[in-house]
Structure formats: C-alpha cells, structure tokens
Amino acid sequence: MTQYLVAIHHPDDYDPAVAEDDAMDRDIDVLNDEMVAAGVRVFVGGLQSASRAKSVRVQPSGKISVTDGPYLETKEHIGGFWVLEAADMEEALAWGRKAAVACRAPVEVRPFH
C-alpha cells in the first residue's frame, strides 16, 4: 500500500474562528472516524497559521538562515493534512473528495515516494 498526503488548502486570511462551525467540526470528526474504521489513516494534523511558520534556508556560502513566515509566498497555504495508506491513487482521491466536502476547502492528494 502506498502512503498519500491529503492536504487541505486555506487562503492566507483564513480564520478558523470565523470559517469553522459545529457542523464542519462534526463532518471532519465523521470523516476521521470513517478513515480509522477503514484502516487507511496513518496520521492527521491541523496546522497553525502560515504566519507562525519559520523558513530555514542554506545560503550559497553554506550559512543557514531562518526567517519568519512560510517558505513560499502564496495566497494559500496548507492548513491541515492526513497521511493515508491506500491501494492506489483512485482510492486516495475518493478520500480527498470526502475531505474537500468535510473541510469546505480545496484538497491536494499526492503520493509519497
């Protein structure tokens, strides 16, 4: 079985206190329970705001620099993710579709090496 990242994308101004309600929390809980019952969930995690990120880079001189903020400057960031074990991409995409509905957000599904 291959492991897949199912990543939820949020806009940079995403505020869970405003965007998330009890219905969404229940939908995500139901999805998590379904993943556990199916034996596909390896790990799940929600991330704090991208503004809380630190980026670590190696400079041409070999020196390491640490800066505030996410590595990429984009209008969206990963807000949370699952690591799933699925038979193939089709199965992983089926879970990704359910995640998009439960989280009310775009989802990226990508296999690990």
Side-chain angles (χ1 to χ4, degrees):
M1 298 263 277
T2 301
Q3 290 187 340
Y4 292 85
L5 175 71
V6 177
I8 307 302
H9 291 264
H10 291 150
D12 274 345
D13 62 352
Y14 187 82
D15 182 355
V18 174
E20 299 176 11
D21 58 13
D22 290 340
M24 184 175 168
D25 290 342
R26 279 190 304 275
D27 290 348
I28 294 169
D29 288 343
V30 167
L31 177 59
N32 276 309
D33 291 345
E34 186 179 354
M35 288 174 172
V36 169
V40 299
R41 195 178 89 180
V42 175
F43 182 82
V44 63
L47 299 173
Q48 292 190 12
S49 164
S51 65
R52 304 279 316 260
K54 301 286 186 188
S55 295
V56 180
R57 293 179 177 87
V58 178
Q59 303 300 313
S61 66
K63 182 180 175 187
I64 302 292
S65 69
V66 178
T67 56
D68 291 336
Y71 171 70
L72 297 175
E73 294 198 24
T74 65
K75 295 180 189 227
E76 292 183 337
H77 62 273
I78 296 175
F81 63 93
W82 288 269
V83 175
L84 305 179
E85 281 190 339
D88 53 30
M89 177 60 88
E90 287 307 311
E91 181 184 354
L93 282 171
W95 290 110
R97 287 182 192 95
K98 291 180 180 191
V101 171
C103 295
R104 295 142 176 90
V107 170
E108 176 182 352
V109 178
R110 189 186 307 183
F112 284 92
H113 287 283

